[in-house]
Amino acid sequence: MSLYPLKFKPIYKERLWGGSKLKDVLNKDAEGDLIGESWELSAVKGDVSEVANGALKGKRLTDLIRIYKEKLLGKKVYEHFGEDFPVLIKFIDAQKDLSIQLHPNDELAKKRHDSFGKTEMWYIMQADEGAELIVGFNKDVEKSEYVDHLENNKLEEILNYEKVREGDTFFINTGKVHAIGAGIMLAEIQQTSDITYRVYDWNRKDKDGNTRELHTELALDAIDYDKKDDFKVNYTGEKNKVNSMVECPYFTTNYLNIDGNLTRNISDRDSFTIYMCVEGEAKIANENGEEKLKKGETLLLAADSKEVNIEAVSAKLLEVHI
């Protein structure tokens, strides 16, 4: 069977810090009042995406990979990752501040958890007035200084805060302490990993009166203690062109601002391609079919796609491939 443009059923996650924007703004059909995440494309064990459209409806992403292999993933991707889908795609709504956390690199994650590390990027889709992210430290910090601030409830004094607005984009490499602040809705692209070291959670408790687990000791050898200004992504927004955002070993992301029509030959990409619609509505087609993509929806094109055509009156898309 030909691999037409594939949509998947979102996997919703209730979170202590979640809200209602995924339902109210992105029209997600999630139940519950604290929906923090919509996993759009996932092969994480226990949370595998299912096809939502066409003849393959109901098939799991892992089933498709097992059947179609490099035809779906691309030869280079399949040779490197085998049947492990290498990225996890999400929309996130933070009604409250997320915990301060970080992710280990590949080496540490493999050694401790038999997992990939977690490099990620964020595209801000909406932000309330004054909303902020925490990204890194505001100065170079010694490990002992970090521990002192953590133990004495002063960690905020050495953290770097960034006010954000729609369109701002951040690259979060492994080891960097970070947190999504209250009032922010964003698109997240990351390595396939659910390994997070939580170091501070604002001393809050869940509905049962319990505090969440912290990973204080695990985090000590995983943190990058240096102040770095390597997280803000600068990109152009030219219409009907491919605007480069992030290129790293784990994913490449482009920004597409479509007002009209964009047709591209992608036959030499040797990778699947993902489109996340972050504004407007577009029609995306390859030689095997077409699908409409609305704000808050995600689409997967197989690696054997020869050409992609994107048509829109006004749409903003994130394009992801390996």
Side-chain angles (χ1 to χ4, degrees), residues 114-135:
D114 193 26
S115 170
F116 293 122
K118 188 175 175 183
T119 296
E120 60 190 1
M121 67 165 284
W122 298 330
Y123 173 88
I124 308 300
M125 296 177 66
Q126 186 273 333
D128 296 349
E129 185 70 29
E132 296 179 312
L133 298 174
I134 292 171
V135 192

PDB file of all heavy atoms in Angstrom, residues 114-135:
ATOM      1  N   ASP A 114      19.235   3.104  29.580  1.00  0.00           N
ATOM      2  CA  ASP A 114      19.146   2.426  28.290  1.00  0.00           C
ATOM      3  C   ASP A 114      18.201   3.198  27.363  1.00  0.00           C
ATOM      4  O   ASP A 114      17.298   2.643  26.746  1.00  0.00           O
ATOM      5  CB  ASP A 114      18.664   0.989  28.441  1.00  0.00           C
ATOM      6  CG  ASP A 114      18.875   0.176  27.160  1.00  0.00           C
ATOM      7  OD1 ASP A 114      19.783   0.524  26.386  1.00  0.00           O
ATOM      8  OD2 ASP A 114      18.123  -0.793  26.934  1.00  0.00           O
ATOM      9  N   SER A 115      18.424   4.491  27.271  1.00  0.00           N
ATOM     10  CA  SER A 115      17.546   5.385  26.524  1.00  0.00           C
ATOM     11  C   SER A 115      18.385   6.390  25.747  1.00  0.00           C
ATOM     12  O   SER A 115      19.583   6.576  26.014  1.00  0.00           O
ATOM     13  CB  SER A 115      16.618   6.131  27.489  1.00  0.00           C
ATOM     14  OG  SER A 115      15.907   7.166  26.852  1.00  0.00           O
ATOM     15  N   PHE A 116      17.758   7.061  24.786  1.00  0.00           N
ATOM     16  CA  PHE A 116      18.375   8.226  24.173  1.00  0.00           C
ATOM     17  C   PHE A 116      18.376   9.361  25.187  1.00  0.00           C
ATOM     18  O   PHE A 116      17.581   9.384  26.132  1.00  0.00           O
ATOM     19  CB  PHE A 116      17.574   8.684  22.945  1.00  0.00           C
ATOM     20  CG  PHE A 116      17.583   7.716  21.792  1.00  0.00           C
ATOM     21  CD1 PHE A 116      16.400   7.212  21.285  1.00  0.00           C
ATOM     22  CD2 PHE A 116      18.777   7.322  21.206  1.00  0.00           C
ATOM     23  CE1 PHE A 116      16.397   6.323  20.231  1.00  0.00           C
ATOM     24  CE2 PHE A 116      18.792   6.430  20.149  1.00  0.00           C
ATOM     25  CZ  PHE A 116      17.590   5.929  19.664  1.00  0.00           C
ATOM     26  N   GLY A 117      19.253  10.323  24.984  1.00  0.00           N
ATOM     27  CA  GLY A 117      19.175  11.573  25.717  1.00  0.00           C
ATOM     28  C   GLY A 117      18.003  12.376  25.194  1.00  0.00           C
ATOM     29  O   GLY A 117      17.170  11.875  24.431  1.00  0.00           O
ATOM     30  N   LYS A 118      17.941  13.648  25.584  1.00  0.00           N
ATOM     31  CA  LYS A 118      16.778  14.433  25.177  1.00  0.00           C
ATOM     32  C   LYS A 118      17.188  15.859  24.847  1.00  0.00           C
ATOM     33  O   LYS A 118      17.229  16.733  25.707  1.00  0.00           O
ATOM     34  CB  LYS A 118      15.713  14.418  26.272  1.00  0.00           C
ATOM     35  CG  LYS A 118      14.387  15.044  25.872  1.00  0.00           C
ATOM     36  CD  LYS A 118      13.368  14.857  26.991  1.00  0.00           C
ATOM     37  CE  LYS A 118      12.070  15.575  26.703  1.00  0.00           C
ATOM     38  NZ  LYS A 118      11.111  15.461  27.816  1.00  0.00           N
ATOM     39  N   THR A 119      17.526  16.052  23.584  1.00  0.00           N
ATOM     40  CA  THR A 119      17.702  17.389  23.036  1.00  0.00           C
ATOM     41  C   THR A 119      16.354  17.818  22.475  1.00  0.00           C
ATOM     42  O   THR A 119      15.650  17.021  21.853  1.00  0.00           O
ATOM     43  CB  THR A 119      18.761  17.377  21.916  1.00  0.00           C
ATOM     44  OG1 THR A 119      20.021  17.002  22.475  1.00  0.00           O
ATOM     45  CG2 THR A 119      18.886  18.738  21.253  1.00  0.00           C
ATOM     46  N   GLU A 120      15.974  19.083  22.678  1.00  0.00           N
ATOM     47  CA  GLU A 120      14.651  19.513  22.241  1.00  0.00           C
ATOM     48  C   GLU A 120      14.659  20.962  21.776  1.00  0.00           C
ATOM     49  O   GLU A 120      15.623  21.696  21.998  1.00  0.00           O
ATOM     50  CB  GLU A 120      13.624  19.331  23.362  1.00  0.00           C
ATOM     51  CG  GLU A 120      13.941  20.131  24.614  1.00  0.00           C
ATOM     52  CD  GLU A 120      13.043  19.737  25.800  1.00  0.00           C
ATOM     53  OE1 GLU A 120      12.208  18.836  25.653  1.00  0.00           O
ATOM     54  OE2 GLU A 120      13.208  20.349  26.865  1.00  0.00           O
ATOM     55  N   MET A 121      13.574  21.354  21.121  1.00  0.00           N
ATOM     56  CA  MET A 121      13.367  22.754  20.757  1.00  0.00           C
ATOM     57  C   MET A 121      11.910  23.133  21.008  1.00  0.00           C
ATOM     58  O   MET A 121      11.026  22.288  20.991  1.00  0.00           O
ATOM     59  CB  MET A 121      13.749  23.016  19.299  1.00  0.00           C
ATOM     60  CG  MET A 121      12.884  22.346  18.266  1.00  0.00           C
ATOM     61  SD  MET A 121      13.095  23.032  16.583  1.00  0.00           S
ATOM     62  CE  MET A 121      12.176  24.573  16.709  1.00  0.00           C
ATOM     63  N   TRP A 122      11.714  24.433  21.255  1.00  0.00           N
ATOM     64  CA  TRP A 122      10.376  24.971  21.514  1.00  0.00           C
ATOM     65  C   TRP A 122      10.067  26.095  20.537  1.00  0.00           C
ATOM     66  O   TRP A 122      10.900  26.979  20.306  1.00  0.00           O
ATOM     67  CB  TRP A 122      10.292  25.566  22.926  1.00  0.00           C
ATOM     68  CG  TRP A 122      10.506  24.621  24.052  1.00  0.00           C
ATOM     69  CD1 TRP A 122      10.219  23.283  24.089  1.00  0.00           C
ATOM     70  CD2 TRP A 122      11.029  24.947  25.356  1.00  0.00           C
ATOM     71  NE1 TRP A 122      10.525  22.761  25.320  1.00  0.00           N
ATOM     72  CE2 TRP A 122      11.020  23.758  26.113  1.00  0.00           C
ATOM     73  CE3 TRP A 122      11.472  26.122  25.942  1.00  0.00           C
ATOM     74  CZ2 TRP A 122      11.463  23.715  27.429  1.00  0.00           C
ATOM     75  CZ3 TRP A 122      11.920  26.091  27.251  1.00  0.00           C
ATOM     76  CH2 TRP A 122      11.913  24.890  27.992  1.00  0.00           C
ATOM     77  N   TYR A 123       8.859  26.085  19.992  1.00  0.00           N
ATOM     78  CA  TYR A 123       8.340  27.213  19.209  1.00  0.00           C
ATOM     79  C   TYR A 123       7.138  27.760  19.970  1.00  0.00           C
ATOM     80  O   TYR A 123       6.173  27.037  20.213  1.00  0.00           O
ATOM     81  CB  TYR A 123       7.928  26.759  17.802  1.00  0.00           C
ATOM     82  CG  TYR A 123       7.233  27.837  16.996  1.00  0.00           C
ATOM     83  CD1 TYR A 123       7.962  28.725  16.219  1.00  0.00           C
ATOM     84  CD2 TYR A 123       5.841  27.969  17.037  1.00  0.00           C
ATOM     85  CE1 TYR A 123       7.320  29.729  15.486  1.00  0.00           C
ATOM     86  CE2 TYR A 123       5.201  28.968  16.315  1.00  0.00           C
ATOM     87  CZ  TYR A 123       5.945  29.841  15.546  1.00  0.00           C
ATOM     88  OH  TYR A 123       5.313  30.847  14.822  1.00  0.00           O
ATOM     89  N   ILE A 124       7.195  29.029  20.350  1.00  0.00           N
ATOM     90  CA  ILE A 124       6.126  29.634  21.139  1.00  0.00           C
ATOM     91  C   ILE A 124       4.938  29.951  20.237  1.00  0.00           C
ATOM     92  O   ILE A 124       5.038  30.770  19.314  1.00  0.00           O
ATOM     93  CB  ILE A 124       6.606  30.923  21.842  1.00  0.00           C
ATOM     94  CG1 ILE A 124       7.908  30.670  22.630  1.00  0.00           C
ATOM     95  CG2 ILE A 124       5.499  31.463  22.751  1.00  0.00           C
ATOM     96  CD1 ILE A 124       7.809  29.638  23.708  1.00  0.00           C
ATOM     97  N   MET A 125       3.805  29.296  20.500  1.00  0.00           N
ATOM     98  CA  MET A 125       2.594  29.519  19.718  1.00  0.00           C
ATOM     99  C   MET A 125       1.724  30.634  20.297  1.00  0.00           C
ATOM    100  O   MET A 125       1.019  31.331  19.570  1.00  0.00           O
ATOM    101  CB  MET A 125       1.791  28.228  19.623  1.00  0.00           C
ATOM    102  CG  MET A 125       2.504  27.122  18.872  1.00  0.00           C
ATOM    103  SD  MET A 125       1.570  25.571  18.854  1.00  0.00           S
ATOM    104  CE  MET A 125       0.139  26.018  17.860  1.00  0.00           C
ATOM    105  N   GLN A 126       1.758  30.774  21.616  1.00  0.00           N
ATOM    106  CA  GLN A 126       0.989  31.817  22.291  1.00  0.00           C
ATOM    107  C   GLN A 126       1.597  32.028  23.665  1.00  0.00           C
ATOM    108  O   GLN A 126       2.047  31.081  24.309  1.00  0.00           O
ATOM    109  CB  GLN A 126      -0.484  31.408  22.403  1.00  0.00           C
ATOM    110  CG  GLN A 126      -1.430  32.472  22.961  1.00  0.00           C
ATOM    111  CD  GLN A 126      -1.517  32.462  24.482  1.00  0.00           C
ATOM    112  OE1 GLN A 126      -1.295  31.419  25.128  1.00  0.00           O
ATOM    113  NE2 GLN A 126      -1.832  33.595  25.082  1.00  0.00           N
ATOM    114  N   ALA A 127       1.605  33.280  24.100  1.00  0.00           N
ATOM    115  CA  ALA A 127       2.135  33.580  25.431  1.00  0.00           C
ATOM    116  C   ALA A 127       1.338  34.713  26.048  1.00  0.00           C
ATOM    117  O   ALA A 127       1.109  35.747  25.398  1.00  0.00           O
ATOM    118  CB  ALA A 127       3.614  33.961  25.355  1.00  0.00           C
ATOM    119  N   ASP A 128       0.903  34.512  27.281  1.00  0.00           N
ATOM    120  CA  ASP A 128       0.214  35.574  28.003  1.00  0.00           C
ATOM    121  C   ASP A 128       1.195  36.714  28.290  1.00  0.00           C
ATOM    122  O   ASP A 128       2.419  36.530  28.291  1.00  0.00           O
ATOM    123  CB  ASP A 128      -0.353  35.037  29.320  1.00  0.00           C
ATOM    124  CG  ASP A 128      -1.430  33.976  29.109  1.00  0.00           C
ATOM    125  OD1 ASP A 128      -1.893  33.809  27.959  1.00  0.00           O
ATOM    126  OD2 ASP A 128      -1.787  33.302  30.100  1.00  0.00           O
ATOM    127  N   GLU A 129       0.652  37.882  28.547  1.00  0.00           N
ATOM    128  CA  GLU A 129       1.479  39.055  28.845  1.00  0.00           C
ATOM    129  C   GLU A 129       2.426  38.760  30.010  1.00  0.00           C
ATOM    130  O   GLU A 129       2.012  38.289  31.069  1.00  0.00           O
ATOM    131  CB  GLU A 129       0.581  40.241  29.212  1.00  0.00           C
ATOM    132  CG  GLU A 129       1.319  41.544  29.417  1.00  0.00           C
ATOM    133  CD  GLU A 129       1.885  42.133  28.130  1.00  0.00           C
ATOM    134  OE1 GLU A 129       1.293  41.885  27.062  1.00  0.00           O
ATOM    135  OE2 GLU A 129       2.912  42.824  28.210  1.00  0.00           O
ATOM    136  N   GLY A 130       3.728  38.999  29.785  1.00  0.00           N
ATOM    137  CA  GLY A 130       4.725  38.820  30.837  1.00  0.00           C
ATOM    138  C   GLY A 130       5.209  37.401  31.033  1.00  0.00           C
ATOM    139  O   GLY A 130       6.034  37.147  31.920  1.00  0.00           O
ATOM    140  N   ALA A 131       4.734  36.463  30.224  1.00  0.00           N
ATOM    141  CA  ALA A 131       5.129  35.058  30.397  1.00  0.00           C
ATOM    142  C   ALA A 131       6.623  34.874  30.145  1.00  0.00           C
ATOM    143  O   ALA A 131       7.211  35.524  29.273  1.00  0.00           O
ATOM    144  CB  ALA A 131       4.325  34.166  29.459  1.00  0.00           C
ATOM    145  N   GLU A 132       7.233  33.961  30.906  1.00  0.00           N
ATOM    146  CA  GLU A 132       8.673  33.756  30.847  1.00  0.00           C
ATOM    147  C   GLU A 132       9.036  32.275  30.792  1.00  0.00           C
ATOM    148  O   GLU A 132       8.305  31.427  31.312  1.00  0.00           O
ATOM    149  CB  GLU A 132       9.358  34.356  32.085  1.00  0.00           C
ATOM    150  CG  GLU A 132       9.246  35.854  32.221  1.00  0.00           C
ATOM    151  CD  GLU A 132       9.927  36.345  33.498  1.00  0.00           C
ATOM    152  OE1 GLU A 132       9.679  35.752  34.567  1.00  0.00           O
ATOM    153  OE2 GLU A 132      10.703  37.308  33.413  1.00  0.00           O
ATOM    154  N   LEU A 133      10.189  32.007  30.209  1.00  0.00           N
ATOM    155  CA  LEU A 133      10.842  30.702  30.296  1.00  0.00           C
ATOM    156  C   LEU A 133      12.052  30.824  31.202  1.00  0.00           C
ATOM    157  O   LEU A 133      12.635  31.908  31.334  1.00  0.00           O
ATOM    158  CB  LEU A 133      11.340  30.245  28.924  1.00  0.00           C
ATOM    159  CG  LEU A 133      10.354  30.012  27.792  1.00  0.00           C
ATOM    160  CD1 LEU A 133      11.124  29.723  26.508  1.00  0.00           C
ATOM    161  CD2 LEU A 133       9.418  28.862  28.117  1.00  0.00           C
ATOM    162  N   ILE A 134      12.458  29.710  31.783  1.00  0.00           N
ATOM    163  CA  ILE A 134      13.765  29.612  32.424  1.00  0.00           C
ATOM    164  C   ILE A 134      14.659  28.811  31.494  1.00  0.00           C
ATOM    165  O   ILE A 134      14.304  27.704  31.086  1.00  0.00           O
ATOM    166  CB  ILE A 134      13.666  28.917  33.794  1.00  0.00           C
ATOM    167  CG1 ILE A 134      12.903  29.804  34.785  1.00  0.00           C
ATOM    168  CG2 ILE A 134      15.055  28.566  34.346  1.00  0.00           C
ATOM    169  CD1 ILE A 134      12.565  29.108  36.094  1.00  0.00           C
ATOM    170  N   VAL A 135      15.794  29.393  31.126  1.00  0.00           N
ATOM    171  CA  VAL A 135      16.737  28.713  30.237  1.00  0.00           C
ATOM    172  C   VAL A 135      18.157  28.973  30.721  1.00  0.00           C
ATOM    173  O   VAL A 135      18.690  30.080  30.562  1.00  0.00           O
ATOM    174  CB  VAL A 135      16.609  29.181  28.766  1.00  0.00           C
ATOM    175  CG1 VAL A 135      17.391  28.246  27.860  1.00  0.00           C
ATOM    176  CG2 VAL A 135      15.178  29.262  28.318  1.00  0.00           C
TER     177      VAL A 135
END
